[in-house]
Amino acid sequence: MPKALRGVLIPLTVLLLLLLINVIKDVDFLDISNVNGALYGNIPNILFGATELVIITIGMTLVTSASGGQDISVGVVATITSAVFIQALAAFGPVSWLSVAGALVVSCAVGALLGLFNGTLVAIFRIQPMVATLILFTAGRSIAFLIDGKVSPNLKNAVTTQIGGVIPGVPIQTPIILTVVVIAVFAVLFKLTNLRLYTQTVGINEKAARLNGIDPVKVKLLVFVILGICCAVAGFISVCKNERHDSVNLLKLIEMDAILAVALGGNALIGGKFNLPGAIIGAYTIEVLNRTLLRFGISPDAIKAVKAAFIIFLMIVSSPVVMSLLDKARGKIAGRLEKSASDKYGGPKTEGA
Amino acid sequence: MQEGTVLEMRGICKAFPGVRALHNVDFTLRAGEVHALMGENGAGKSTLIKVLTAVYTKDAGEIRVAGAPVHFKSPQEAQDGGVGTVYQEVTLCPNITVAENLFIGRGKSPFIKWKGMNAGAKAILDSLGIPAMPGQQLSSCSLAVQQMIAIARAVDMDCKILVLDEPTSSLDEDEVKKLFSLMRDLKARGVAILFVTHFLDQVYEVSDRITVLRGGELVGEYVAKDLPQYELVSKMMGKALEDIDEIKNTQAAMESGEEYLFEAEGLASSAGISPFDFHIRKGEVNGFTGLLGSGRSESVRAIFAADKVTGGAVKVKGKRVKIDKPIKAMKQGIGYLPEDRKADGIIADLSVRDNIILALQVMKGFLRPFSKAEAQAFADEYIAALNIKTASADTPVGSLSGGNQQKVILARWLLTHPDYLILDEPTRGIDIGTKVEIQKLVLRLASEGMGVTFISSEIEEMLRTCSRLIVMKDRHIVGELAGEQLTQDDVMRTIAKGGRADA
Amino acid sequence: MTKLKENRVPLSNANLLFIIAAVILLVMYLFAIALFPESFTQPQTFFDLFNNNAALIILACGMSVVMIGGGIDISVGGVCGLVTMSCAVFLQSAGADVGRSVLLALAIGLAFGALQGFLIAYLEIQPFIITLAGMFLANGVMTIVNSTPIRVELPAFVALFETKLKIAWLGTVNRHGMFIPCKISISMLIAVGVIVAVALLLKWSRFGRNLYAVGGNAQSALMLGINVKRTRFLSYLLCGLLSGIAGYAFLLTTAAGNVGNASGFEMKAIAASIIGGTMLTGGVGNILGSPIGALSLLTINEIIRAAGIDSNIQTIISGFLLCFFIVLQSVIIWLRDRSGGFKLQRPPWLKASLRTRDGEAP
């Protein structure tokens, strides 16, 4: 297991540190209470609150890996797809589990289409992902507003309330279960397809990928479509939680959190090899960070600034210049250690493999 | 010091980790001469130039410009010290004007005086007879004119020594002629020109002297008109090391009778080779030979559709097929080990295992991944079979040595059990032991019925392994050798004599 | 040597894109006049586009500067909003004066420009991610400074706010037969000044020409002896400064600080730059294109507003336009790569045409 642990070391450390800070501030932090047969408390709330972020982060990780850029339209895509979801649900007549599922499928299809739009700009027209996704980022919320019919429709019914909250008799809040389901779906996807191999190969060396028979364009389109579907699912869960579709504020700024989670999880933002467990833990870490800052009395708006400072710090530490400086320093220290070791033991000593 | 010597390099040594790039190389350049620096891949030409222009720092040796020792610390300093360099890729900015490209980055004034600059540019362009206007955007000039402007910039910066690093490789014949007349013009003004190229005819057209490097060592300096082309080729290729092994292809007999594995007719690609015909039989090892830049790599890339195929028809085992992208070639049982291992071959951050199974996995399909156990078994099998030295199958392939990386890519293609395997420079930059292993492997594969096309910069290697050689020069096929004719002598004669069919 | 004729110079990408932008603006404005003659034939309508959107036009200039250098700056809107809010709060505090508020605006802009420029140029971090973080930072700081709407009532500032220049010879006659001259606000003057200054800077200064070279090919620029890092740094610094000026211009048009100030302006500025002919890939662009791009966007918005259509359509159409121009650029680059690539052998017909361009053939 140590190898698997190494990949998630940084986000896990930050996560545990944040939890520790919370526990120090408030000893009851880890308490879990049972209300009407369901579990509540800080930990379940974190898991509950991070649902959308985790799901979008998964897709963002794949897009980052294959395209070497990030999609900043994720929150907007989720807003559009959830608007479509509500309209579809209304069109399907009386609300039932079946009609909700049907509307979800429709919204996922729309998400896939929007992903395909972004993917086409990136893969075929070779536009930097962030610029390509800027288009939807700009226009998307207005589109959602028009789909809504210029109001913020409510979503109050037995089924979606249960999806956004608790299903009677189940002790765990439904979004938490859905997060697990989505992660499981991806685990199966990785098992049954070569998604991981193809995505990483394209991200690491596009030319070599082509010479080995992989079509980089198709792979990039695919990851953007997957991200689009992830956004649709996240948007669906979000409207179910909020019981209302607010095109202006739904999942606002989640693109920032998702990019941060991907980076925190040890993924290079310029693409290549990816670490999905790291990114998922990174997403939970961001959620805990948000909540911790709130608990410490920092206003929701100021949190933005703190997170921005955090991301700048993260980028500085991982920047090529600082990295090479660190490498040099490490080399110097290692050299000195080696020297002192050889002085002590009378022979050169190399570090263990 | 000889009369008129402007540059002397003495005892230059340069080593990179694991490679001795230059060893005790001397080079002398005289005022008003065009001096060609020749050598095959890995001979050390570009290293020597980069030492001169201070892109690399030398390990040992001395450089004197006009008699005085110099120690340039950056290309900029070399430039200021009178050594102007024009690289193969035009290093000007395409989006600004010709005049700006001549003067940008020079001078101290914070403002631009357009009038004065354009007038100055016009004077330079006119004096060198370069057909461009000062106010024209550089990208609207042809490549040759762009090269000339780069040269004009260097000349205008008072360079006594002009280094031209393969300036002709992306030019067509007319453009080359224009460039040469400019070079002669500069020569007449006393500029010393160091000229690197792969095209033999061009060397004789403009050069006064030729210095040949091989394997990082100096072979000699010659007066161009006293050195026949044939001798130049032989000096560049050299006598190989006295045989390391008694490898010899005895399969020449296979040639007749066996079925064609692959046939091409009039194959052409976007890489700019002239259309060519080609075929290979079952159990045959053949090779494309020719100097670097002759089009040998581009030819095999066309077969595998690694470059965009622009014409021609191909048959695999007698059946007409359409190969327009690598996956289709792979599905037809063709494997291709690319020339540039780092850029086209390895997926550096992925494990040895993933790198080995990659091609077979892609052929099997996106929806049918190998189980971890299967992949591990494949990897273990080939790590053992090819004696790949790696800590484990999980090690990222980028951390392996060059030879082992090459074996991983070889394993990748062997795993697909191709009928026809193309190996472009499989032995470049790897140790001698691995080279021999790879050659032996090639012959064994052929004896098992595989067709192999083999390319190497080392002619000995090709003579040992191939039963038929296709000789290329200047992007054309100029001859085909087999059987008795397979000697170094014949290859060189063919290259030296070979003219263009259309010339 | 063959005598070359000046008219042989082929149209550069920058000029081609600029002309497209200008034509689009013209067509759009004529279209607007055709649809709503009574409003769009008045010169004041045109001036109001400028008066009310000076901040955006200035931001588009700054965006063009960094884009010509091969970068991008997402933080311009955020910084602009932050400056507006900060200056508004400052002007409402005791002992404030207009002069120091201007200094505050410039200082905030320069600070953001310097920080981002340093990180991007000297630490080689991707500009998009740094300036995205910069945008959120500016947004966050703005809400920390003040999150409630605030009106500036300082008399000196209000006087400045209400100052309008009248153009005596241009105007319209109203229903009562009275001549109403066109009015120009201070912010419009600032915008025009900025456009002229930046255009001169890019055309006549060493920094300006170096910027084009760096954006065109940073590697080559380095080989040509240009200090690439410093040039990049200065481009972000200039963009930051312009964001500060834009923030003040925004305050001069609204005289109020609001959390929603300049929100979404980064996208509009990028769109304006791109429509105005600045290439995302760097090295190609014309500063005069940015106001043209901005005015094109604003004209569409005016048409939509005059037609009484939902304002959401405005954003959608802006997005659509942005998409169209990005794809157009991509196609132009693709065509250029295809014909001018170093590795490709050119077809005979193209060779012939190139030779003609060199001025030798016929």
Side-chain angles (χ1 to χ4, degrees):
Chain A
M1 272 332 263
K3 191 184 146 243
L5 257 179
R6 210 180 310 144
V8 297
L9 200 60
I10 298 171
L12 208 56
T13 314
V14 178
L15 180 62
L16 292 178
L17 223 66
L18 285 170
L19 289 176
L20 192 68
I21 290 169
N22 276 299
V23 172
I24 290 170
K25 182 174 165 27
D26 187 353
V27 188
D28 303 335
F29 184 74
L30 297 178
D31 286 3
I32 292 172
S33 57
N34 188 327
V35 182
N36 299 333
L39 300 173
Y40 292 96
N42 283 309
I43 296 294
N45 282 353
I46 289 166
L47 296 175
F48 174 83
T51 310
E52 297 97 320
L53 181 58
V54 168
I55 294 171
I56 289 178
T57 299
I58 294 172
M60 186 74 92
T61 307
L62 293 177
V63 163
T64 300
S65 168
S67 74
Q70 289 74 40
D71 183 340
I72 58 169
S73 70
V74 284
V76 173
V77 170
T79 310
I80 297 176
T81 54
S82 52
V84 170
F85 168 78
I86 289 179
Q87 296 305 321
L89 193 61
F92 288 164
V95 175
S96 67
W97 284 97
L98 191 68
S99 70
V100 168
L104 176 61
V105 169
V106 172
S107 77
C108 282
V110 173
L113 270 177
L114 294 173
L116 197 64
F117 171 75
N118 283 333
T120 307
L121 290 175
V122 171
I124 297 172
F125 291 101
R126 306 200 147 266
I127 295 159
Q128 305 158 33
M130 278 190 168
V131 178
T133 52
L134 190 65
I135 296 169
L136 270 179
F137 178 78
T138 310
R141 290 197 186 265
S142 294
I143 297 174
F145 196 63
L146 292 183
I147 295 173
D148 277 346
K150 301 173 194 176
V151 289
S152 296
N154 285 326
L155 186 67
K156 276 215 172 86
N157 59 67
V159 179
T160 57
T161 306
Q162 284 179 20
I163 292 172
V166 177
I167 299 170
V170 181
I172 297 167
Q173 296 168 88
T174 322
I176 302 177
I177 300 171
L178 288 175
T179 318
V180 175
V181 169
V182 170
I183 293 175
V185 165
F186 272 93
V188 172
L189 202 60
F190 283 134
K191 197 90 193 158
L192 294 184
T193 72
N194 282 309
L195 185 61
R196 181 190 293 273
L197 182 71
Y198 277 40
T199 307
Q200 296 192 136
T201 303
V202 168
I204 297 168
N205 190 338
E206 205 177 315
K207 265 164 81 188
R210 205 182 77 82
L211 288 180
N212 283 289
I214 297 174
D215 187 341
V217 171
K218 279 188 199 154
V219 172
K220 285 185 191 169
L221 287 177
L222 179 66
V223 292
F224 270 97
V225 167
I226 289 174
L227 177 56
I229 294 171
C230 285
C231 291
V233 174
F236 160 70
I237 294 173
S238 189
V239 281
C240 289
K241 275 185 184 175
N242 295 329
E243 301 188 334
R244 166 165 186 269
H245 187 268
D246 175 358
S247 352
V248 179
N249 292 314
L250 188 106
L251 294 178
K252 203 175 183 183
L253 302 186
I254 199 164
E255 50 277 355
M256 177 81 166
D257 284 351
I259 294 170
L260 198 51
V262 170
L264 198 59
N267 297 284
L269 290 183
I270 50 163
K273 209 168 156 109
F274 67 80
N275 176 356
L276 208 46
I280 292 172
I281 294 176
Y284 282 113
T285 308
I286 302 290
E287 179 70 20
V288 176
L289 179 71
N290 284 342
R291 282 166 188 264
T292 309
L293 291 172
L294 271 178
R295 282 166 67 88
F296 277 74
I298 296 170
S299 76
D301 294 311
I303 288 177
K304 255 198 295 196
V306 173
K307 275 197 293 191
F310 190 57
I311 209 172
I312 291 175
F313 170 75
L314 210 69
M315 292 310 296
I316 292 174
V317 171
S318 61
S319 75
V321 173
V322 173
M323 279 306 225
S324 73
L325 280 179
L326 281 178
D327 274 357
K328 257 185 219 160
R330 202 180 305 148
K332 245 182 217 164
I333 292 166
R336 212 168 292 154
L337 286 179
E338 214 168 274
K339 193 161 170 285
S340 68
S342 64
D343 286 349
K344 265 186 207 157
Y345 307 109
K349 230 177 143 184
T350 47
E351 281 179 51
Chain B
M1 194 178 119
Q2 280 168 275
E3 190 61 31
T5 302
V6 290
L7 170 71
E8 272 186 290
M9 299 175 81
R10 291 283 167 266
I12 304 293
C13 296
K14 176 72 193 174
F16 297 108
V19 194
R20 200 178 61 176
L22 288 176
H23 184 65
N24 233 352
V25 172
D26 295 345
F27 181 78
T28 310
L29 191 63
R30 295 156 196 83
E33 74 169 358
V34 175
H35 195 139
L37 186 61
M38 304 288 296
E40 266 289 70
N41 229 340
K45 301 181 304 283
S46 55
T47 313
L48 188 67
I49 286 178
K50 283 178 178 160
V51 165
L52 173 62
T53 55
V55 175
Y56 295 154
T57 48
K58 56 186 184 295
D59 295 342
E62 191 190 25
I63 303 176
R64 285 166 171 270
V65 172
V70 291
H71 304 278
F72 299 133
K73 286 189 191 64
S74 67
Q76 202 57 42
E77 265 185 44
Q79 178 89 264
D80 296 340
V83 181
T85 312
V86 175
Y87 296 94
Q88 175 179 6
E89 303 278 318
V90 179
T91 49
L92 299 176
C93 291
N95 59 324
I96 54 181
T97 68
V98 170
E100 287 186 276
N101 268 298
L102 284 170
F103 289 107
I104 204 163
R106 303 163 59 183
K108 293 276 169 278
S109 160
F111 299 105
I112 306 286
K113 298 176 187 73
W114 285 93
K115 255 193 173 150
M117 188 170 81
N118 283 339
K122 182 141 181 50
I124 297 170
L125 296 173
D126 284 353
S127 78
L128 294 175
I130 299 171
M133 287 171 287
Q136 192 178 1
Q137 195 174 322
L138 185 82
S139 59
S140 68
C141 300
S142 72
L143 281 176
V145 171
Q146 293 188 24
Q147 284 284 13
M148 288 176 180
I149 290 164
I151 293 171
R153 180 182 162 97
V155 171
D156 189 54
M157 289 176 82
D158 254 350
C159 78
K160 295 278 168 287
I161 299 158
L162 182 61
V163 180
L164 301 179
D165 188 4
E166 294 190 41
T168 59
S169 58
S170 46
L171 307 184
D172 65 34
E173 278 169 78
D174 290 346
E175 295 174 327
V176 169
K177 277 197 189 106
K178 279 186 235 164
L179 185 66
F180 282 175
S181 74
L182 177 62
M183 282 168 69
R184 290 194 197 95
D185 193 16
L186 292 174
K187 192 171 96 172
R189 298 168 184 223
V191 177
I193 299 173
L194 169 50
F195 177 51
V196 179
T197 181
H198 289 115
F199 302 105
L200 288 179
D201 296 335
Q202 295 182 358
V203 171
Y204 284 95
E205 215 177 316
V206 286
S207 307
D208 303 302
R209 268 172 234 268
I210 298 171
T211 289
V212 180
L213 298 182
R214 193 176 59 231
E217 299 197 28
L218 178 70
V219 176
E221 190 198 88
Y222 311 92
V223 174
K225 62 177 187 295
D226 299 342
L227 183 73
Q229 229 187 77
Y230 162 75
E231 266 183 53
L232 173 60
V233 175
S234 93
K235 287 189 195 305
M236 285 168 67
M237 291 188 158
K239 285 247 180 294
L241 305 157
E242 284 318 317
D243 255 359
I244 328 131
D245 220 294
E246 67 292 352
I247 307 172
K248 180 67 203 154
N249 191 347
T250 50
Q251 309 285 325
M254 298 285 290
E255 172 74 21
S256 53
E258 287 289 348
E259 58 167 323
Y260 283 132
L261 271 179
F262 178 90
E263 293 163 86
E265 216 172 285
L267 197 57
S269 79
S270 61
I273 38 165
S274 69
F276 66 100
D277 299 343
F278 172 78
H279 66 89
I280 188 164
R281 291 169 201 270
K282 208 165 173 290
E284 182 186 349
V285 183
N286 66 9
F288 282 87
T289 185
L291 299 173
L292 193 67
S294 59
R296 56 191 191 200
S297 294
E298 287 77 2
S299 301
V300 290
R301 285 179 71 87
I303 293 171
F304 192 70
D307 296 320
K308 195 175 183 316
V309 175
T310 54
V314 295
K315 285 186 196 171
V316 171
K317 291 178 183 159
K319 238 174 56 200
R320 270 296 289 270
V321 288
K322 186 165 180 260
I323 297 179
D324 56 1
K325 43 187 168 186
I327 184 71
K328 291 201 180 159
M330 287 159 69
K331 292 244 163 89
Q332 294 296 336
I334 303 175
Y336 166 64
L337 182 139
E339 181 188 14
D340 190 337
R341 182 176 62 231
K342 281 218 166 62
D344 295 341
I346 58 167
I347 316 293
D349 295 338
L350 286 190
S351 66
V352 170
R353 179 181 49 239
D354 284 344
N355 268 281
I356 288 179
I357 63 158
L358 183 61
L360 184 64
Q361 179 66 78
V362 171
M363 284 168 71
K364 197 179 170 203
F366 181 73
L367 295 175
R368 298 170 59 209
F370 290 117
S371 71
K372 192 146 187 185
E374 282 174 296
Q376 187 63 42
F378 283 136
D380 286 343
E381 183 190 341
Y382 279 87
I383 287 173
L386 297 183
N387 194 17
I388 298 171
K389 290 186 185 66
T390 171
S392 77
D394 283 322
T395 313
V397 77
S399 65
L400 268 53
S401 75
N404 284 304
Q405 289 181 5
Q406 198 66 288
K407 283 188 190 172
V408 167
I409 303 176
L410 203 53
R412 178 193 294 168
W413 290 112
L414 293 181
L415 184 59
T416 65
H417 296 285
D419 300 321
Y420 173 32
L421 185 58
I422 301 167
L423 304 174
D424 193 354
E425 296 264 23
T427 61
R428 184 207 278 185
I430 63 179
D431 60 281
I432 199 84
T434 313
K435 280 186 187 182
V436 175
E437 273 178 62
I438 289 180
Q439 292 169 29
K440 281 183 175 164
L441 180 72
V442 166
L443 293 181
R444 203 190 74 220
L445 293 172
S447 69
E448 288 163 7
M450 196 186 289
V452 181
T453 292
F454 187 87
I455 293 180
S456 168
S457 284
E458 292 175 38
I459 186 74
E460 273 297 320
E461 223 171 69
M462 299 197 64
L463 293 171
R464 275 203 298 270
T465 44
C466 301
S467 58
R468 185 162 61 94
L469 285 182
I470 294 141
V471 186
M472 296 197 71
K473 184 184 183 184
D474 295 351
R475 296 168 188 157
H476 292 253
I477 291 179
V478 291
E480 205 174 301
L481 304 170
E484 294 289 290
Q485 297 170 303
L486 280 178
T487 66
Q488 200 167 329
D489 218 41
D490 281 301
V491 173
M492 289 170 198
R493 249 179 246 288
T494 316
I495 295 176
K497 274 186 202 153
R500 292 190 181 182
D502 59 352
Chain C
M1 216 193 107
T2 330
K3 193 83 190 144
L4 300 168
K5 280 187 215 130
E6 207 55 47
N7 60 13
R8 278 269 179 80
V9 178
L11 200 59
S12 67
N13 288 334
N15 293 339
L16 175 69
L17 290 171
F18 179 72
I19 289 171
I20 293 177
V23 168
I24 283 181
L25 175 60
L26 193 69
V27 167
M28 217 116 69
Y29 212 85
L30 291 176
F31 184 62
I33 290 173
L35 281 180
F36 307 101
E38 66 285 0
S39 142
F40 280 90
T41 46
Q42 291 182 18
Q44 187 62 42
T45 308
F46 182 77
F47 284 115
D48 277 345
L49 286 182
F50 247 103
N51 285 340
N52 299 333
N53 298 287
L56 177 61
I57 291 168
I58 297 170
L59 288 182
C61 271
M63 185 66 77
S64 294
V65 169
V66 285
M67 274 170 55
I68 287 169
I72 198 157
D73 189 345
I74 309 293
S75 73
V76 290
V79 174
C80 176
L82 170 63
V83 167
T84 308
M85 180 62 91
S86 304
C87 288
V89 170
F90 174 76
L91 286 167
Q92 279 307 89
S93 64
D97 63 71
V98 173
R100 279 190 291 161
S101 71
V102 172
L103 286 183
L104 177 68
L106 300 184
I108 294 174
L110 282 175
F112 267 87
L115 173 71
Q116 297 180 151
F118 174 75
L119 295 177
I120 293 162
Y122 291 99
L123 294 189
E124 294 166 24
I125 308 174
Q126 294 170 15
F128 212 117
I129 196 99
I130 279 298
T131 54
L132 186 69
M135 166 178 131
F136 286 113
L137 188 63
N139 265 327
V141 173
M142 174 172 74
T143 47
I144 293 170
V145 170
N146 182 23
S147 54
T148 51
I150 179 168
R151 270 206 82 76
V152 181
E153 279 145 5
L154 189 78
F157 180 85
V158 174
L160 198 64
F161 167 65
E162 284 170 351
T163 307
K164 296 270 188 292
L165 256 71
K166 295 191 175 73
I167 307 178
W169 47 270
L170 196 63
T172 39
V173 178
N174 76 355
R175 262 174 299 174
H176 310 293
M178 239 169 66
F179 179 75
I180 302 170
C182 285
K183 294 193 195 82
I184 294 173
S185 68
I186 300 285
S187 59
M188 172 169 173
L189 287 183
I190 296 176
V192 172
V194 162
I195 293 166
V196 172
V198 175
L200 287 177
L201 186 74
L202 289 200
K203 177 76 181 172
W204 291 93
S205 77
R206 236 163 99 82
F207 160 73
R209 300 324 293 173
N210 288 357
L211 186 66
Y212 275 92
V214 168
N217 188 337
Q219 197 61 40
S220 292
L222 195 65
M223 304 285 273
L224 292 175
I226 293 168
N227 189 335
V228 172
K229 287 182 180 176
R230 192 177 61 200
T231 308
R232 278 205 181 121
F233 172 76
L234 288 176
S235 73
Y236 283 95
L237 194 64
L238 179 58
C239 183
L241 177 69
L242 293 182
S243 305
I245 296 175
Y248 209 84
F250 196 92
L251 191 62
L252 280 173
T253 43
T254 59
N258 201 312
V259 199
N261 283 343
S263 76
F265 270 30
E266 53 282 338
M267 190 300 294
K268 285 185 187 161
I270 292 174
S273 284
I274 290 177
I275 295 170
T278 307
M279 284 247 205
L280 275 168
T281 44
V284 177
N286 187 333
I287 284 296
L288 299 180
S290 9
I292 289 185
L295 290 175
S296 304
L297 277 179
L298 295 168
T299 309
I300 298 175
N301 288 357
E302 283 304 308
I303 296 173
I304 291 167
R305 187 157 45 176
I309 299 172
D310 190 335
S311 69
N312 284 289
I313 302 277
Q314 287 178 21
T315 351
I316 295 171
I317 289 184
S318 305
F320 174 78
L321 261 188
L322 181 63
C323 177
F324 173 76
F325 278 93
I326 287 177
V327 169
L328 180 74
Q329 287 194 1
S330 170
V331 170
I332 287 176
I333 293 167
W334 179 71
L335 288 174
R336 186 178 61 177
D337 279 357
R338 243 172 41 134
S339 57
F342 289 137
K343 292 274 155 55
L344 301 178
Q345 200 168 40
R346 274 158 286 168
W349 56 268
L350 194 62
K351 267 185 203 166
S353 73
L354 280 175
R355 221 167 287 146
T356 318
R357 279 201 258 166
D358 293 343
E360 293 185 1

